[in-house]
């Protein structure tokens, strides 16, 4: 190693260290502040309940909910697993369906104009209203749940991916045309990578919606033969006025939603950090 | 020493592409070029020289088939499909999500060449533009000139039969530029492909071209065509020769005339 | 053994006890049916499955929908009515001066869609309640417990218990049947096609259910309760006991005609009088062929009367 | 006009004409093909019903639904207006809320990390489950409906706009920093325009969701004192076993959804056509 | 005639910006520049000249405060906030959603100048780069060189006290370029602002600058600093003078040396 290179290493190491220090502080803030806010909110909730003497059957305090969560953990955790299973499947199906349709639509404006309305119809049709039809023609409970959840979750992926596929740079399109790229090659090497940021944005929306879809599907379709999920717990607990348990279930749904969002954000960051503005550090 | 193109029109060289009375008007109503007649001959090194905004890029894009004329015709005597073209855009136009290597690999990849099979050619193309060390860098991590060089490597890697270059060296320092000028000429002589080269540099156009089309703006048109009758191979010595200075003066005058034409048009 | 399904209108509960009891005791099997009970729920619509032929028997809430089916030319018939009285109640908080039927007009009433579409329409027409009073009930009684000045729907056999457990008070109860809403409830609906093609199965189901109910109410309900508890882990034995007790107390299942004709009994007079009442109230249109909405072919045969006698000793 | 200019005009006019011809054919295809597909689908539906002898109380044929639609138009149209009113309001509120939050989040990663989880919580919380709480504390029916619809519709706008605000070109950011632009100026002149394509994508998703939200809100919250919307008609028709009317109402919801989508697409196109790839013509 | 900068270091001119032992290493591990010491003197016209990828843009960004050094210091003797800077990036960096007019208006707009109040200045800036007719065009509708000129107009419209230009003329033809060279010099003399000018053209740097810092690559560093002791105003005649040729030769040698240094580094 030459002197110059050694110097560089030192400078680099120093910079690294400064960075690490900054990063550590930033990371501390990143974890610390949200945590502080969280604690404040919980405390606020607690005192709201205590000061206004709100009874547990209207709005249980955080302590009550936590106790219930621990006490009912065996039941609730099993329900959460069931709900998460449907959510995961729904997200996979929504992704495949959404991206598949988007690719189809991107092949020609005509296809897009012809089919997009039906995608919109699927998006806006109230699941509750069409469920009886699904129920008549579909036997399998899991399939029923999946269809419901899919109807709810696929649209953001479809819409965002379509937008992304249409947003690839015109000059790059020209370049591909010049090199005689096939449709498939243009899609694979140009449009799909260019659509990534949009697709991942849609995925983050769809992650939450899959969960919503799994819950709504369960509300609507029941879970006979599959094992009851969190929606069932909520209905049942609400009916029994076991409101602390209802809140415990709602909180589990929230936690699941946040976890899904974080995982998808991480995936998104890892995919985009090399090149897309939205994933680059803001520092210089 | 300089003859107008008309004098050499009876030369029996075949056309690679021919523009006949081509006019291009953009939707906004701007006429980028009007009534352009241009024969790109098989195997020649043709430069398009002209002031900024005179329609050089537009003509080049029409030659490539990337834009269609509003009126007039573009003739491709050879099967347009069979033609393989290399194109360097005025902007680097790299895929931001791919490394320099992958960007250069792209044209080969589209022809079905695997990464392993392409590796040697891609690396030698990158070597040729002095970027072998940066094969794994993303465009965002390269300087402006480096990006342009990646774009050039991408155009050269397929050894195309028609090479269309839109100011490929504008962002480069003189020494790199001279080196790349020579490399390009050498390739051209070895493979005998056709080059259409857009530039705003009189010196560069004279050094490189067998023919120069001087364009004027508003509306864009070809004002004059000059043949540079200096035998190849040309080397750095040519740059300091009397002949070179003469050609440059002549071309400069033509360009000045084009600019003046602008003023009255 | 023939396989058939019976779709209920709610999660498994004591109000479905007779059917579960019949399944548990093998009563249906004795006459050749293997019955699967398909629970309903707040948003579940099992009637659609009946219409599509996916299930053979469906539990109807009250007769208004049976009339609607006639109105829409749907070939559906009621073959038995297992609740002689509609157990639907309205509840209010005690000590609020909301002790009379008339006083219910002064407050908001929490009510589900079904209730709003059926008996509330009758309450509007017959008693002058107003549509604006209705607030949606999402089967969570918290808003009722929280606000002493609202009323809420319920089943006399269920909600009062839950309210008492959590709210700590015994609500005032207004049984709709006492105020003239004398519909049958918890009916068994069957498509005409089934009646024509497989009357034996229908007869078996009706008879089996009558025996099941007799056993559940007057005998040892534990076998039926066990099935219910297994199918609905949230159900408690205490709640089941309470509901069963109330069904007996109010004669929900077994009173009036059924004492003579057997559980499930229906009469033409009752159908006609209820229909007239609903026409007067404007809930259903005049001129429907009410007779085609039900058939007495399978009931009023005194099935289970002996059994009751042997169980109760009366 | 000089000769040259006159020539240009001719060339331009010729090009125009060729364009117009192309455009006319393209427009014909754009309208014709979707229409053809629509007719085919309706015919398919019709024959499906006729051939399988599906009774109207399971799946009414298109003719039956159309007849019902015309017959019940006075009732249904009024309900549609009510639903659209809530939808429109919900979309406005979702847009304001979504964009407002996105702007807040874009001001600092810290704020984003601290608050985004709660946005996710709102997105995933089942409206049905929290409605009793809303019902206890909110008096006004319209406000209740709006809150429900907003919870359902705001997230895609928030998520996409946040992504867009973070996707502005780094060099332009640098330029603004150099010129001492305030936060507000950077937002107003750089981030908001750059976020437009993303925001409009989110808006198109939210348009449908607002409608879904309005319908779900009505399912959950009822409409006492406001006038019944399409959800009420669906429930009512379902209860009355008047399946043709139920389908007529569902079809009105679909039509409303498509109309909302088309209007938002048009708005999007008008805003972006000058500069964004996704809105440019594909032709050369 | 050429003196190294060291000889003139005792000149009492104030620094506008000073770099002290500045090293910039990017997260990937590439060291763009190392140990750079540079004083940008108040009111001078300083060119950064060097091969592609040697760190010119990086230095310029650090001078502007757009990047921070990994080690070393950047000193701003004057209140950094009060400074008003004009910057031309190597790419046009225009807002694609705004017309040429609005793009040029931007810096004024950010200072609170209304459209009406700004109109005269914006139009004269556009006029200065020959684009008055294209005020309403969107960047997408302009040629590469025209976009760069809009960017230049935007930097000049505020009449900044520190002007940082990153190869502003690379995409322009010689005639437009010469004109803009002269316009820039004239402005500079009239207003006395400080210019840091990145270029890869020896000729341009000699014609314009009072001082040239020649950079070498890998790692980027300043190899030599040359003063061009030719009085201003310089006019086109200077381009053909003996002195000019001498400076150019000297500078070329320095650059060649820089490139050679590259090879051994
Ligand atoms: N998409 C477009 N829409 C409208 N006008 C355009 C478009 N593209 C180019 N033009 C106009 O056409 C003319 C010629 O543009 P072109 O890019 O061909 O110039 P050029 O000779 O390449 O210039 P430069 O040397 O600056 O790159 C310009 O006046 C430009 O404004
Ligand atoms: N964001 C980045 N990440 C990593 N490396 C970078 C980044 N930006 C620049 N570099 C590296 O720093 C070095 C100097 O880049 P810079 O842009 O300053 O060069 P330059 O002198 O302006 O070149 P040119 O004349 O080609 O524009 C290059 O080797 C480049 O690869
Ligand atoms: Mg150009
Ligand atoms: Mg640079």
């Amino acid at each position: 190693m030459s002197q110059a290179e050694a110097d560089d290493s030192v400078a680099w190491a120093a910079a690294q260290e400064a960075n690490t220090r900054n990063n550590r502080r930033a990371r501390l803030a990143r974890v610390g502040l949200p945590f502080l806010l969280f604690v404040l909110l919980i405390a606020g909730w607690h005192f709201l309940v205590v000061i206004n003497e709100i009874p547990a059957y209207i709005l249980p305090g955080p302590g009550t909910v936590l106790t219930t969560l621990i006490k009912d953990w065996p039941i609730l955790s099993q329900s959460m697993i069931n709900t998460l299973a449907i959510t995961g499947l729904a997200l996979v199906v929504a992704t495949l369906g959404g991206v598949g349709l988007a690719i189809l639509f991107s092949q020609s404006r005509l296809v897009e104009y012809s089919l997009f309305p039906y995608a919109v119809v699927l998006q806006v049709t109230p699941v509750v209203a069409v469920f009886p039809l699904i129920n008549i023609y579909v036997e399998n409970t899991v399939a029923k749940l999946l269809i419901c959840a899919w109807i709810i979750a696929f649209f953001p992926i479809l819409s965002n991916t379509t937008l992304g596929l249409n947003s690839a740079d015109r000059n790059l399109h020209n370049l591909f045309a010049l090199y005689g790229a096939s449709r498939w090659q243009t899609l694979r090497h140009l449009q799909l990578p260019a659509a990534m940021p949009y697709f991942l944005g849609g995925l983050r929306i769809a992650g939450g919606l899959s969960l919503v879809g799994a819950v709504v599907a369960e509300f609507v379709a029941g879970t006979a033969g599959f094992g009851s999920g969190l929606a069932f717990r909520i209905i049942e607990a609400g009916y029994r006025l076991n409101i602390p348990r209802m809140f415990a279930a709602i909180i589990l749904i929230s936690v699941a939603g946040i976890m899904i969002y974080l995982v998808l954000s991480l995936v998104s960051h890892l995919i985009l950090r090399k090149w897309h503005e939205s994933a680059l550090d803001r520092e210089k | 020493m300089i003859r107008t193109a008309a004098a050499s029109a009876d030369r029996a060289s075949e056309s690679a592409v021919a523009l006949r009375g081509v006019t291009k008007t953009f939707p906004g109503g701007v006429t980028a070029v009007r009534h352009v007649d241009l024969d790109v001959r098989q195997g020649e090194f043709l430069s398009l020289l002209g002031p900024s905004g005179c329609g050089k890029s537009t003509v080049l894009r029409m030659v490539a088939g990337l834009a269609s004329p509003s009126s007039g015709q573009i003739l491709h005597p050879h099967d347009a499909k069979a033609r393989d073209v290399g194109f360097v855009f005025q902007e680097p136009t790299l895929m931001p999500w791919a490394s320099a290597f992958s960007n250069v690999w792209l044209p080969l990849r589209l022809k079905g060449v695997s990464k392993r099979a392409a590796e040697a050619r891609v690396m030698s193309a990158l070597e040729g533009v002095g970027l072998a060390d940066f094969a794994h860098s993303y465009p965002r991590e390269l300087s402006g000139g480096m990006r342009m060089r990646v774009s050039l490597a991408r155009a050269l890697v397929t050894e195309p039969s028609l090479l269309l270059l839109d100011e490929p060296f504008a962002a480069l320092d003189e020494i790199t530029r001279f080196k790349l000028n020579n490399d390009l000429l050498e390739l051209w002589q070895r493979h005998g492909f056709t080059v259409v080269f857009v530039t705003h540099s009189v010196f560069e156009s004279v050094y490189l071209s067998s023919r120069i089309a001087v364009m004027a703006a508003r509306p864009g048109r070809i004002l004059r065509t000059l043949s540079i009758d200096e035998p190849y191979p040309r080397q750095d010595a040519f740059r300091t020769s009397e002949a070179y200075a003469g050609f440059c003066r002549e071309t400069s005058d033509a360009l000045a005339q084009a600019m003046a034409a602008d003023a009255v048009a | 053994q023939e396989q058939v399904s019976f779709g209920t209108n709610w999660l498994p509960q004591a109000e479905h006890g007779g059917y579960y009891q019949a399944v548990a005791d093998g009563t249906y099997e004795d006459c050749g049916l293997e019955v699967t009970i398909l629970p309903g729920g707040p948003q579940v619509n099992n009637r659609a499955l009946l219409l599509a032929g996916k299930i053979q028997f469906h539990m109807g809430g009250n007769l208004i929908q049976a009339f609607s089916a006639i109105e829409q030319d749907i070939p559906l018939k009621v073959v038995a009515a297992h609740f002689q009285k509609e157990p639907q109640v309205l509840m209010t908080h005690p000590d609020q001066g909301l002790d009379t039927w008339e006083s219910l007009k002064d407050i908001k009433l929490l009510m589900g869609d079904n209730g709003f579409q059926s008996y509330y329409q009758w309450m509007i027409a017959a008693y002058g309640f107003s549509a604006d009073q209705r607030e949606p009930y999402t089967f969570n009684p918290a808003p009722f417990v929280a606000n002493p000045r609202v009323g809420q729907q319920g089943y006399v056999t269920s909600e009062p218990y839950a309210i008492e457990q959590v709210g700590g008070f015994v609500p005032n109860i207004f049984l709709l049947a006492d105020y003239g809403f004398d519909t049958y409830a918890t009916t068994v609906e069957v498509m005409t096609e089934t009646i024509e093609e497989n009357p034996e199965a229908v007869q078996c189901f009706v008879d089996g259910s009558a025996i099941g109910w007799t056993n559940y109410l007057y005998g040892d309900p534990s076998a039926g309760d066990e099935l219910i508890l297994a199918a609905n882990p949230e159900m408690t034995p205490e709640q089941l006991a309470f509901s069963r007790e109330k069904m007996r107390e109010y004669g929900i299942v077994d009173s009036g005609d059924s004492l003579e004709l057997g559980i499930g009994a229906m009469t033409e007079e009752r159908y006609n009088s209820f229909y007239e009442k609903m026409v007067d109230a404007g809930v259903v249109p005049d001129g429907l062929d009410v007779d085609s909405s039900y058939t007495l072919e399978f009931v009023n045969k005194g099935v289970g009367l002996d059994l009751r006698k042997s169980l109760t000793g009366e």
Side-chain angles (χ1 to χ4, degrees), chain B residues 103-119:
Chain B
N103 267 290
V104 176
W105 174 29
L106 179 74
L108 297 173
R109 195 175 192 180
L110 293 177
K111 292 195 164 56
V113 183
S114 76
K115 186 165 185 172
R116 180 166 304 182
E119 184 152 16

Side-chain angles (χ1 to χ4, degrees), chain C residues 63 78-85 183-187 206 210 252-268 270-271 294-296 298-303 305:
Chain C
L63 294 182
V78 174
V79 295
H82 288 118
F83 282 10
Q84 293 295 318
K85 280 188 190 167
T183 174
Y184 291 122
T186 306
T187 60
V206 170
I252 298 289
V253 176
D254 200 8
S255 59
D257 295 336
S258 73
L259 296 176
E260 303 299 322
L261 303 172
I263 289 177
M266 305 190 292
T267 65
E268 194 179 340
R270 181 94 178 263
Y271 260 92
Y294 65 96
T295 169
L296 302 180
F298 304 100
V299 284
N300 305 345
K301 296 182 176 167
V303 174
L305 289 180

Side-chain angles (χ1 to χ4, degrees), chain B residues 23-29 31 33-35 65-68 70-71 140 219:
Chain B
T23 296
K24 173 80 185 175
T25 304
F26 283 101
T31 300
V33 294
R34 185 165 62 201
H35 297 321
L66 292 178
S68 40
S70 313
S71 71
R140 180 172 288 285

